[in-house]
Structures are given as structure tokens and as C-alpha cells.
Amino acid sequence: MHTFRVWAPSASAVDVVLRDGTLPLNSVDDGWWEREVVEAHHGTDYAFSVDGSEPLPDPRSAWQPDGVHGFSRVFDADRFEWTDEVWTGRDVRGSVFYELHIGTFTPEGTLDAAADNVDYLALLGVEVVSLLPVAAFPGTQGWGYDGVHLYAVHDPYGGPEALQRFVDRCHEAGLAVCLDVVYNHLGPSGNRLAEFGPYFTDRHSTPWGPAVNLDDTGSTEVRRWICDNALRWFRSFHFDALRLDAVHAFLDDSPTHLLAQLSTETAELSAEVGRPLGLVAESDLNDPRMVEPVSAGGRGMTAQWSDDFHHALHSLLTGERFGYYVDFGPVEVFAKTLTKVFLHDGSYSTFRGANWGRPVDPAKHSGGEFLVYTSNHDQVGNRALGDRPALTPGQLAIGAALVLTSPYTPMLFMGEEWGASTPWRFFTDYEEPELAEAVRTGRRREFAAFGWDAEQIPDPQDPETWRSSVLDWSEPDESPHHELLHWYRHLLTFRAKMPELRDDRLESVGISYDPGGAWLVVTRGSLRVVANLQAAEAVVPIDAGDAWIVMAYGTADTVDGGVRLPGHGVAIVAV
């Protein structure tokens, strides 16, 4: 027996369409329609017809076995036999994140194949597996940010039960799991929500079209649709955290912002289930109020990404200064982001053409509330060629050391730990020819403004664009990948053992540097992270006479007045 329910507030009639017939639903309160069907159960296919429309997938469908345009299928989440009863959860602040995309993490591109690599991640030393979106999206391969069925798990990845198996396996290995969710827009293919009710509003506009309705007529149920979705991932799939995509695109003028509502409801569920549940925001606002309590007027997020740290480190190591990197690059800029989180904390942003951000008060905020990284899916995939940073192995080692010894919550992007040579490109799989061409043309037009020829830009619809982005798991056994992987493992092990490196007080970190950018030294208690940023061998001065090398990428030795390092060398020194 199963009860079919759907919200369609303006409909005169709603039917549930089964494979062997159609049954009318009954109108109940607040625009909802429902009917109990004795013959329906886990695995029953169905759709809805609104005022005689063609069959439409359920807006809360948990299973789309035939793709985003097909019938929905009943999924009983309670059938799964969990084995993680002893899992007590993890506070994600200060934990090491590992961002991965199911479709390119393994050659198979499935959740079960990814689960086979969980022990590798545990041995690497990461603590939170952060999945890119798994909500059902068009086609077989894609980034997942064009999902249209937010309650369903992409069937080519293995579907909803495979996701439960994956989370259960991670918990068995001692790893928390974070899921990337997209509530600021829906994809263009398979999006039929407007035929049910006012899920969108013309009151606001976004780069993707009409905004999700958070503050207009009917918004109470739309907000419920979002919050229920988030709570379901925690409750029925045992996720430990959610990463909320581009929250600056939540256009909400209601008295209680959606993020504050979601924060409050998540805290209530956390108390109910007896384990920490986190909300990690991707925000372009550089506003610490994002992670301040709802009771104090904040949005109540557990943590937020810090792109300023990435931009400062990337520009320092690569020398790139174009686009949004224009204000970054000098070593003193990196020093500011290492100690004060944001470069733009009320200062003028050349790229945005406006004063931007707010300062972070170290008396109110810890570094653990901010995620930092040398790369992530956006910073790689949104480059013209989807190329990873073109750095020497030594520069990659420097980047790793600066992230993993910072006072912030560190995050790795899959493959960076061995300096993966595979790109991570933008790829799609739309079946509509006009949509495919629009994506292809738009991508080429976007990068033409930066001087790229159209033929240089990988075609998002070409299957080879996806295939070229799949990690090559033979690389970790080869040089120089193997040496870099060893460095990452060593760093992660050392970070886990040393209280100085887990101290997330912003005032606990210090930095000295050569004004010309030749070297820098980060202070973490009795430890010094010493980096030679130039290609030639150099002696980097440190403020201690009695020092010894704890670890180094390559060679390193102490000399009078400092540490001798090869070009692009890095070492951790105890004083």
C-alpha cells in the first residue's frame, strides 16, 4: 500500500497515472491532492496528470529509472538495512574535506564503484567525503548542477539505494559524508514544476531565468519542498552535512530568510537524531554573517567556502592575474587571506566594480568556519580547457602545505593529491538538439571574450569531453605522482597528530615573507611552514636558531639563519 500525494494548488483535477490505469486523487488541505492505493508499493511506476495533462513526474520523486522525463517510481527508503548504528557523526568544522564527482571519480562512474575506493580515502587521511550533486539530471553524464528532480538520485549512478550503500560504507570506514545540493535554480531539461504550482516567481530574476519562489504567493509550500528535501538527506540517507550551492543566488525578501529557516530546522533534527548535522554554504558575498547564529541575526550556516583564499594562493603560485584574479597575486594578499579570511572585506573589488564584503572578527569567528582549497570543481572546470593548475610538483606541494597547515577547514579536489594530469572539463548530455547547441555556443562565446578560438574549447556534448575528465588511477603508482601522494599522506597524518595544526583560532597563525614574493614562512605554534616560491635554490630565513626538519618535499637542511631549500621546495620545521 502507498499513499500518493502532490501539491497542485490551482488544479481542478489531479490523477495518478499507473502503468495499468489512472485513478483520481482527492483534494485535501492547502492545495494538496492524495490517494491511498492498496496495490502500489516499492517499485511501482507512476506519474501525475494535472487537469488532463500528459503524465508528469512527481515533484518529490525519489526514483527516476527512465530519466528526468519518464515515470517516477515508488522508493521505500526504510527498506535499507543500515550498519552504521555506532556512527556518532562529525563536526565538519576543521575536518578535511575531499570533493569528488561520482561520474568521473572511477572509470565505472557509479556509487558502488566509488564505494570500492572508500578505504583509499580513509588511508589518505581525509575525514569528509563531499559529493557533487547526485539529484537526477538529464542524460547520463554531467556535473549535476542542472538537476530537475531534487529528491531523486541519478539512476546512472546507481539510484537511491546505491547512495544509501555508499554513505553506509563511508561511515563504516570512519568518514563523514557531505552532499552538494542545488536549490537556487533547476535545469532547463525535464523541469515541469511550473505545471504543478508556483515553484517560480517573476518577482526576481536570475542568470538561469525566473527565480525559485521563496517569497511570493505560494512560497510557503515551495520553501517546505526545499527544507523537506534537505532534512530527508539527513534522515533517510544519513548524510552528515549538505553543501548549499551559490546561496547568494537565493533571492528571498521574506521576514525569515530560507537559510535561517533551514538552519533552525537542521538544528532541531540534529538534536532529535543525536549527531551533528552541518550546512556548508558556497557564498560570493564575503559576509561572515553567513556563519553567525540565527539568534544573532545571521544565516546560521556551519561553515562557508572562501574563494578569496583560493584566488590568493592560485595567483601567488601561477602568476595568473586575469578575470577575478586581478586583485590577487602579491604575497601580502595571500598573507591577508591566511590571517583574516577575505581580501575583500569592505575594500574595492576591481572585478565586481564595487566595495565588497565585510571583515571577519576573530573574537567571534574561528577559522574552522571557512573552507579553503588549492582547487575545486568550479576553479578547474570553469576554466576554458578544464585544466588543473599548471604547476611544478614542488609548487603543488607548497599549495598542499599551505592549505593543510592553515587554521581553516581544508578541502581537496579529487586527484589533486597525486597531481592528476587529467583535466576536469565542463560536460553535458542533453538530448534536445537546440539545448545542446545553445550550451555549446554559449560556452565558446564566453571564452571568446578572453581570446580563445572556438575550436579550442572542448564540446560539452562530446562524450570524449567527459571521458577525458575521468581520473587515471594508474598515475598514483608513477613518478612524480607517487611522491606527491606520499607528501599529502604525510601532511594529513601530521596534521591529525599536531594540536598546533588543528588550532583554528585566527590569531593562532602568523606569516612572514619576502616583499618580492621569493619566500614565505607560516608560524603555527612551535612549527614553521617554510616555502621557497622561486625556481632557484635559496636559504629562507626563520626566526629560530635551534630548528630541525620535521618533513620536506624534496631536500631541505638547516643552515645559519634559515633553511636551505631547492627551487619550489617546502618544509615543516620545528623550533
Side-chain angles (χ1 to χ4, degrees):
M1 182 170 56
H2 180 76
T3 299
F4 294 99
R5 281 176 52 84
V6 68
W7 182 63
S10 299
S12 299
V14 180
D15 300 319
V16 59
V17 181
L18 304 173
R19 294 295 189 184
D20 56 358
T22 300
L23 297 170
L25 300 187
N26 303 310
S27 177
V28 292
D29 295 337
D30 301 321
W32 283 87
W33 300 75
E34 67 177 37
R35 180 175 182 137
E36 186 178 276
V37 178
V38 174
E39 297 82 3
H41 49 74
H42 175 86
T44 296
D45 290 346
Y46 71 100
F48 293 119
S49 174
V50 180
D51 290 331
S53 70
E54 64 177 320
L56 303 172
D58 184 356
R60 293 187 178 221
S61 170
W63 197 355
Q64 288 295 125
D66 298 321
V68 297
H69 304 285
F71 270 51
S72 301
R73 180 170 291 173
V74 175
F75 175 72
D76 181 1
D78 294 332
R79 295 173 72 249
F80 186 75
E81 296 183 6
W82 291 92
T83 64
D84 65 351
E85 295 87 358
V86 299
W87 175 253
T88 57
R90 180 184 293 278
D91 185 343
V92 298
R93 289 168 293 194
S95 298
V96 182
F97 278 64
Y98 187 94
E99 188 183 44
L100 69 85
H101 173 260
I102 291 297
T104 50
F105 184 57
T106 66
E108 298 86 352
T110 65
L111 285 155
D112 285 339
D116 290 339
N117 285 272
V118 163
D119 285 341
Y120 162 82
L121 297 176
L123 291 171
L124 175 62
V126 300
E127 296 164 307
V128 182
V129 179
S130 188
L131 298 181
L132 267 63
V134 300
F137 58 84
T140 300
Q141 299 298 340
W143 281 21
Y145 291 90
D146 54 353
V148 291
H149 291 290
L150 303 192
Y151 283 70
V153 178
H154 192 52
D155 210 62
Y157 288 170
E161 191 167 324
L163 183 59
Q164 291 177 314
R165 289 194 297 270
F166 179 84
V167 175
D168 198 47
R169 180 69 186 87
C170 286
H171 287 171
E172 180 187 17
L175 301 175
V177 193
C178 176
L179 178 64
D180 197 331
V181 290
V182 184
Y183 297 138
N184 51 48
H185 74 287
L186 281 86
S189 178
N191 179 4
R192 309 294 294 272
L193 289 177
E195 298 177 59
F196 287 92
Y199 282 87
F200 303 95
T201 175
D202 292 328
R203 185 173 180 175
H204 307 286
S205 61
T206 76
W208 309 285
V212 175
N213 179 16
L214 302 178
D215 56 7
D216 205 348
T217 302
S219 61
T220 297
E221 287 295 343
V222 178
R223 294 164 71 101
R224 192 72 266 143
W225 174 71
I226 292 173
C227 291
D228 286 350
N229 176 265
L231 299 178
R232 176 176 174 271
W233 295 124
F234 288 132
R235 182 180 282 114
S236 298
F237 290 83
H238 292 201
F239 277 96
D240 302 284
L242 299 178
R243 183 260 191 192
L244 306 176
D245 181 64
V247 298
H248 49 270
F250 288 177
L251 304 176
D252 183 7
D253 294 332
S254 57
T256 300
H257 193 278
L258 175 69
L259 291 178
Q261 177 182 346
L262 182 55
S263 173
T264 299
E265 295 187 15
T266 298
E268 292 170 352
L269 179 60
S270 176
E272 176 188 326
V273 299
R275 59 186 175 91
L277 302 175
L279 296 172
V280 180
E282 180 203 16
S283 173
D284 183 51
L285 302 177
N286 283 18
D287 190 343
R289 289 177 296 187
M290 190 65 62
V291 290
E292 291 175 0
V294 173
S295 59
R299 298 299 189 225
M301 298 294 98
T302 311
Q304 66 172 307
W305 283 25
S306 175
D307 275 350
D308 274 22
F309 182 98
H310 166 270
H311 298 347
L313 180 55
H314 179 88
S315 295
L316 177 67
L317 295 176
T318 66
E320 292 181 0
R321 303 288 189 275
F322 56 82
Y324 48 64
Y325 294 129
V326 63
D327 291 334
F328 298 87
V331 65
E332 60 267 23
V333 170
F334 173 73
K336 181 176 180 180
T337 64
L338 179 68
T339 56
K340 299 183 182 299
V341 186
F342 301 130
L343 169 64
H344 297 302
D345 54 6
S347 62
Y348 184 77
S349 166
T350 304
F351 178 72
R352 299 180 180 93
N355 292 334
W356 202 259
R358 297 169 63 89
V360 176
D361 182 353
K364 295 171 61 177
H365 295 282
S366 67
E369 295 171 347
F370 303 92
L371 267 69
V372 299
Y373 28 82
T374 63
S375 62
N376 60 42
H377 75 275
D378 272 331
Q379 302 303 335
V380 176
N382 285 328
R383 295 171 67 86
L385 302 180
D387 51 318
R388 294 173 185 260
L391 299 172
T392 66
Q395 288 174 310
L396 294 175
I398 291 172
L402 295 176
V403 166
L404 292 173
T405 63
S406 77
Y408 303 117
T409 295
M411 184 175 76
L412 281 57
F413 179 55
M414 62 177 194
E416 78 162 74
E417 69 272 21
W418 71 72
S421 65
T422 49
W424 200 73
R425 293 172 169 157
F426 180 69
F427 47 89
T428 55
D429 191 16
Y430 295 120
E431 63 181 50
E432 301 91 341
E434 66 281 1
L435 182 55
E437 184 56 33
V439 171
R440 182 183 298 115
T441 302
R443 185 79 174 172
R444 289 173 175 172
R445 184 184 300 118
E446 175 187 357
F447 289 105
F450 295 96
W452 291 89
D453 293 333
E455 297 308 313
Q456 294 178 286
I457 308 304
D459 179 0
Q461 287 284 123
D462 184 347
E464 182 56 33
T465 303
W466 157 68
R467 279 193 290 268
S468 67
S469 301
V470 176
L471 288 178
D472 179 356
W473 284 90
S474 70
E475 287 188 337
D477 295 325
E478 302 170 352
S479 184
H481 304 290
H482 179 75
E483 290 80 6
L484 188 61
L485 178 58
H486 179 74
W487 173 248
Y488 267 85
R489 285 175 171 160
H490 204 176
L491 278 173
L492 286 163
T493 299
F494 192 60
R495 182 183 186 278
K497 292 179 177 179
M498 299 301 294
E500 293 104 317
L501 299 184
R502 299 195 307 276
D503 187 345
D504 67 352
R505 293 174 302 122
L506 291 173
E507 57 267 36
S508 72
V509 62
I511 183 171
S512 59
Y513 52 84
D514 169 52
W519 54 263
L520 61 79
V521 178
V522 175
T523 297
R524 301 288 276 139
S526 63
L527 302 172
R528 304 290 183 269
V529 183
V530 185
N532 178 12
L533 302 176
Q534 55 191 330
E537 180 183 288
V539 173
V540 179
I542 59 172
D543 57 348
D546 186 15
W548 56 280
I549 307 295
V550 177
M551 67 178 75
Y553 187 81
T555 59
D557 59 282
T558 57
V559 296
D560 288 342
V563 178
R564 180 187 293 114
L565 292 169
H568 299 156
V570 58
I572 295 180
V573 177
V575 299

